[in-house]
Amino acid sequence: MDKYRAYVPYLFLFPALGILFFFQFFAWGWNINIALHDVTIMNFRRAWPFVGLENFRDIFTDPVTLVTLRNTAIFATTGIISQLLIGTGIAYLLFRAERGIENFFRPIFIIPWLTSVLVASFGWRLVLGRDTGIVNMVISSLGFEPISFIGHPATAMLAIVLANIWRGTPFTILLMNSAMTSISPQLVEASKIDGASQWTFYTKIALPILKPFILMNTILITVWTINAYGLILNMTGGGPINATRVFPLHGYLAAFNEGRFSFGAGITILSVLMTLVLIYFYLRFYDADVV
Amino acid sequence: MSEKTNRIMILSFWAAFTLLPFYWILDLSFQKQITFPPDIFPANPSLYHYTNLVNERLVVTGIINSLLVSLVAAAVSVLITTMAGYAFASLKFKGKKILFFGVLMAFLLPPNLNIIPIYSLFSELGILGSRIGMVFLYQLLATPINIFLFMNYFNTVDDAIVESAVLDGAGVYARYYKIFVPLAKPALVAGFIFAFRFAWSEYVYATTMVSDNSKILFTAALERAVFSGQYTVNFGYMASGAIFLAIPVLVILLFGQRYLELGLQLGGVD
C-alpha cells in the first residue's frame, strides 16, 4: 500500500460522520440542555431559565404519563412478540420453500416495510373504517352494527397494534430468513446421518446458530416499536381520550401541540433510558443461556 | 394435506394480509362516491379522486418539493457515504473501531426521538422549514445503512486491482473515484434507492418542521388535504394519495428489485 497523510482518511469520513454525529449525538446533548431548562412556546426564541430536574418531576406527577406508559407496555409487548413469532415463522416457511415459491412471495412480503408510515396508516384506516372498511362489511353482513375502530379506546389500540405488526414484521422475515440461510446444508445432512431427530436438530444445532440473530432482531424491533410513533401520530393522534397516546408520542404532543418543549425533551430522554434498560435485560438473558 | 400445501397456504394467507390494505386503497381510490358498504370491486371506476388531488395546489407543491428534496438528499447521501465507506473499507487510520461503533449507535437511535432538539437547533441556525435543512436531515436517515452497504461492497473489491492501481501511481484520492466508485455501480443504485425512499416516505419531520406552504413536502401536504374538512375526512384523498406515495416503491420493486436485494444484503439487513 502507498503512503498518504494521516489526516486523509478523516477527510473522507468527515462529511458523512460529521453530519451524522452532529444530528445524533450533539442533538442529544442539546436535548438534555432543553430538558434541564424551562423551554416553552412562549420563551422559545428568548432566554431559557435553568430549572434542573423540575421537568422530570412534572413528568412523573403528570397523571397522563402513567396512562402513556401503560399504553406503551401494551403496544410494545404485543407488537414485539407478534413480530418475532410471525416473522420467524414466515421466514422459516420461506426458507423451507422451493426457490420459485420463495422468489414469488419474498417481494410481496417486503412491501409494507418499504412504504411510508402514511400508507400504513391510511391503508388500515380505510380497511377498518366504519364507512369504508371491508372488516365492517363482514361485521354488518353478520348482522352486527359497524364499529368505528379508531373511535373507541380498546379497538383503537387494536388498530395501531395491527398496523404496526403489518409494517414491522417484514424486517424480521428478512433478517431471520437470511440467518437461516447461513445454516449450511452440509450441517443439516450431517445431523441426519448421525441420526439426530428433528427436535434435536432444531434445539441443539439450529437454535445456537440463530441465537445472535434473534438477539439483534429483538433489540432492533424493540427500539423501533417503543420509540417510533409516526404511525400512531397519523392514525389516531393518540386518541380517543389518550387511549393510544404512547410514551414518546406524549413527548411529541407536549412539545408541538402544547408548546411544552422541555417536558417533551425529558420524555424522549426517559424513553431512551427505558429502551437501554430493556436491551440490558435482553443481554443478561442472552448470556444466562436460558434460551 | 401434505406439508407443502400447508406451507403454501400459510404463506398465501400472509401475502393476502400484506396486500389487503393496498388492494383496498386501490379499490376505494377508483370509487367516486365512497358510501357504506363500498364496492369490493369498483363498479364504475372513476379517476375523480386522482384528478381532484392533483388539482390541489398544496399537494402539487408538495410532490415537487418532495421529489426535489429526496433526489438531492439521495445524491448527497451516495456521495458522502461512498467516501466514508471507502475510508472504512480501504484506508488505515486511528480510531476506526470507535468511529464505526459511533455509526452503529447512531443507527440504533430512532431519528423521531431527536425532533425537539433538531427543531430548536434548526431554529437557531435559521434553517427551520427550509429545503436545504430537510436535505441535511433526510440524507441522514440513510447514512448508517449506506455506510454499511458501501463498506461491505468495497471490501469485496479484489486487492490485486487496488495494488496494481497503486503501482500505476494512483493516489489515495484517485483510487476512490477511478477504482472504487466505478466498480460499485450496482451498490450506488441500491444506496440511491434506499436514501430516496427514506426521504420520500418520511412523515413526522415533514409535518412538524415545515410551516411555509411553498416549501411543504408531500406527506405533510397530503395529510392536510385529507383532514382539511372540519368534521370530515376525505377518504378519496386518503386512497389516491396513498397510491401516489406508494408509486416509487412499486417502481423500485418492478424495475430495481435486483438492486434492492443487493442493498438489503450488503446493508446488513439480509
Side-chain angles (χ1 to χ4, degrees):
Chain A
M1 275 294 160
D2 68 334
K3 295 235 175 347
Y4 43 83
R5 290 177 196 278
Y7 63 78
V8 171
Y10 302 106
L11 289 183
F12 276 100
L13 290 170
F14 181 73
L17 297 201
I19 302 173
L20 183 70
F21 291 171
F22 173 81
F23 276 106
Q24 289 288 37
F25 303 132
F26 181 74
W28 266 107
W30 195 248
N31 204 20
I32 294 169
N33 184 36
I34 294 174
L36 295 176
H37 289 79
D38 182 27
V39 189
T40 63
I41 192 78
M42 307 300 288
N43 68 353
F44 186 66
R45 307 284 297 151
R46 279 178 278 133
W48 300 344
F50 182 82
V51 294
L53 297 176
E54 229 172 76
N55 289 306
F56 293 95
R57 199 196 59 201
D58 290 349
I59 290 169
F60 287 118
T61 52
D62 175 7
V64 181
T65 300
L66 204 66
V67 177
T68 62
L69 283 171
R70 195 207 60 178
N71 290 340
T72 288
I74 298 172
F75 178 73
T77 321
T78 50
I80 293 164
I81 293 175
S82 319
Q83 286 177 58
L84 263 180
L85 292 181
I86 300 171
T88 311
I90 299 288
Y92 176 69
L93 292 178
L94 270 186
F95 170 66
R96 291 288 305 272
E98 287 76 11
R99 188 118 204 107
I101 295 172
E102 186 189 347
N103 287 346
F104 173 77
F105 282 112
R106 236 176 104 89
I108 297 176
F109 293 163
I110 311 177
I111 304 175
W113 188 63
L114 288 177
T115 49
S116 171
V117 288
L118 221 55
V119 175
S121 167
F122 286 178
W124 283 100
R125 277 188 71 145
L126 292 172
V127 167
L128 297 172
R130 203 187 58 186
D131 306 316
T132 59
I134 190 166
V135 176
N136 270 311
M137 287 173 72
V138 176
I139 290 174
S140 70
S141 73
L142 294 173
F144 298 101
E145 277 292 297
I147 307 166
S148 168
F149 277 91
I150 62 164
H152 299 288
T155 48
M157 178 56 86
L158 187 72
I160 61 167
V161 166
L162 195 66
N164 180 58
I165 291 172
W166 180 81
R167 189 170 140 82
T169 306
F171 180 80
T172 302
I173 298 179
L174 283 176
L175 197 142
M176 291 313 297
N177 181 252
S178 77
M180 289 168 191
T181 4
S182 72
I183 301 175
S184 75
Q186 286 97 315
L187 204 60
V188 183
E189 277 311 304
S191 77
K192 270 188 195 152
I193 293 165
D194 288 350
S197 70
Q198 283 240 327
W199 176 251
T200 322
F201 174 74
Y202 286 129
T203 52
K204 293 275 151 54
I205 298 168
L207 197 62
I209 298 176
L210 295 180
K211 253 180 83 176
F213 293 97
I214 297 174
L215 175 74
M216 187 170 95
N217 186 35
T218 313
I219 290 177
L220 285 171
I221 63 176
T222 300
V223 171
W224 294 331
T225 308
I226 289 185
N227 297 309
Y229 54 81
L231 178 71
I232 309 171
L233 174 67
N234 186 266
M235 219 170 147
T236 63
I241 23 173
N242 293 333
T244 55
R245 191 168 170 133
V246 291
F247 191 56
L249 182 62
H250 187 36
Y252 174 89
L253 293 173
F256 295 103
N257 284 13
E258 297 150 28
R260 296 186 292 159
F261 289 101
S262 295
F263 187 92
I267 284 187
T268 55
I269 291 167
L270 293 173
S271 198
V272 165
L273 288 179
M274 199 162 79
T275 315
L276 287 177
V277 169
L278 268 178
I279 293 177
Y280 172 77
F281 280 115
Y282 287 161
L283 293 171
R284 284 287 299 271
F285 191 64
Y286 183 79
D287 283 339
D289 239 16
V290 275
V291 187
Chain B
M1 259 189 295
S2 76
E3 200 198 324
K4 188 181 163 185
T5 349
N6 276 336
R7 211 154 56 207
I8 292 177
M9 273 183 55
I10 299 173
L11 289 174
S12 307
F13 176 80
W14 186 256
F17 175 74
T18 299
L19 293 176
L20 173 68
F22 290 106
Y23 175 73
W24 205 242
I25 288 166
L26 201 63
D27 175 42
L28 290 180
S29 74
F30 289 119
Q31 300 181 32
K32 189 172 173 186
Q33 297 283 338
I34 301 177
T35 47
F36 191 78
D39 298 338
I40 294 212
F41 190 80
N44 304 299
S46 143
L47 290 175
Y48 177 79
H49 300 300
Y50 290 95
T51 48
N52 268 7
L53 192 67
V54 294
N55 278 323
E56 291 271 351
R57 266 192 58 194
L58 199 64
V59 170
V60 177
T61 314
I63 291 178
I64 294 169
N65 281 334
S66 270
L67 276 178
L68 195 71
V69 166
S70 309
L71 289 172
V72 176
V76 170
S77 173
V78 168
L79 174 69
I80 68 178
T81 55
T82 45
M83 289 165 62
Y86 168 64
F88 278 124
S90 177
L91 304 180
K92 287 193 181 70
F93 55 92
K94 272 192 193 125
K96 192 184 249 185
K97 275 206 175 121
I98 184 96
L99 286 173
F100 192 72
F101 183 71
V103 176
L104 266 176
M105 289 316 290
F107 181 62
L108 265 180
L109 284 172
N112 274 359
L113 281 189
N114 258 347
I115 191 162
I116 295 168
I118 286 176
Y119 187 88
S120 160
L121 287 169
F122 271 28
S123 167
E124 298 287 326
L125 296 169
I127 53 170
L128 184 64
S130 69
R131 290 188 203 94
I132 188 78
M134 296 316 277
V135 166
F136 264 101
L137 203 56
Y138 281 171
Q139 63 79 25
L140 182 85
L141 296 174
T143 297
I145 200 165
N146 273 356
I147 290 179
F148 300 149
L149 188 152
F150 291 120
M151 186 187 76
N152 289 334
Y153 197 89
F154 292 154
N155 271 331
T156 65
V157 171
D158 197 347
D159 283 343
I161 299 176
V162 182
E163 272 156 33
S164 75
V166 172
L167 289 179
D168 286 347
V172 65
Y173 300 104
R175 287 204 301 279
Y176 165 71
Y177 64 81
K178 278 191 181 148
I179 310 269
F180 283 92
V181 171
L183 277 176
K185 270 180 200 133
L188 297 180
V189 178
F192 192 89
I193 287 176
F194 271 153
F196 180 86
R197 83 133 187 124
F198 276 122
W200 174 258
S201 306
E202 203 284 331
Y203 160 66
V204 175
Y205 276 94
T207 191
T208 310
M209 308 282 279
V210 186
S211 52
D212 185 347
N213 277 352
S214 69
K215 295 181 181 127
I216 198 160
L217 297 171
F218 182 38
T219 47
L222 182 60
E223 183 192 31
R224 274 216 246 158
V226 166
F227 299 105
S228 59
Q230 205 167 0
Y231 301 106
T232 55
V233 175
N234 190 328
F235 296 122
Y237 280 0
M238 228 183 211
S240 55
I243 295 295
F244 278 133
L245 259 177
I247 285 174
V249 172
L250 296 178
V251 172
I252 291 167
L253 276 176
L254 286 176
F255 301 107
Q257 211 199 328
R258 183 165 82 86
Y259 300 109
L260 184 74
E261 290 286 341
L262 176 81
L264 291 171
Q265 205 183 348
L266 292 171
V269 178
D270 191 24

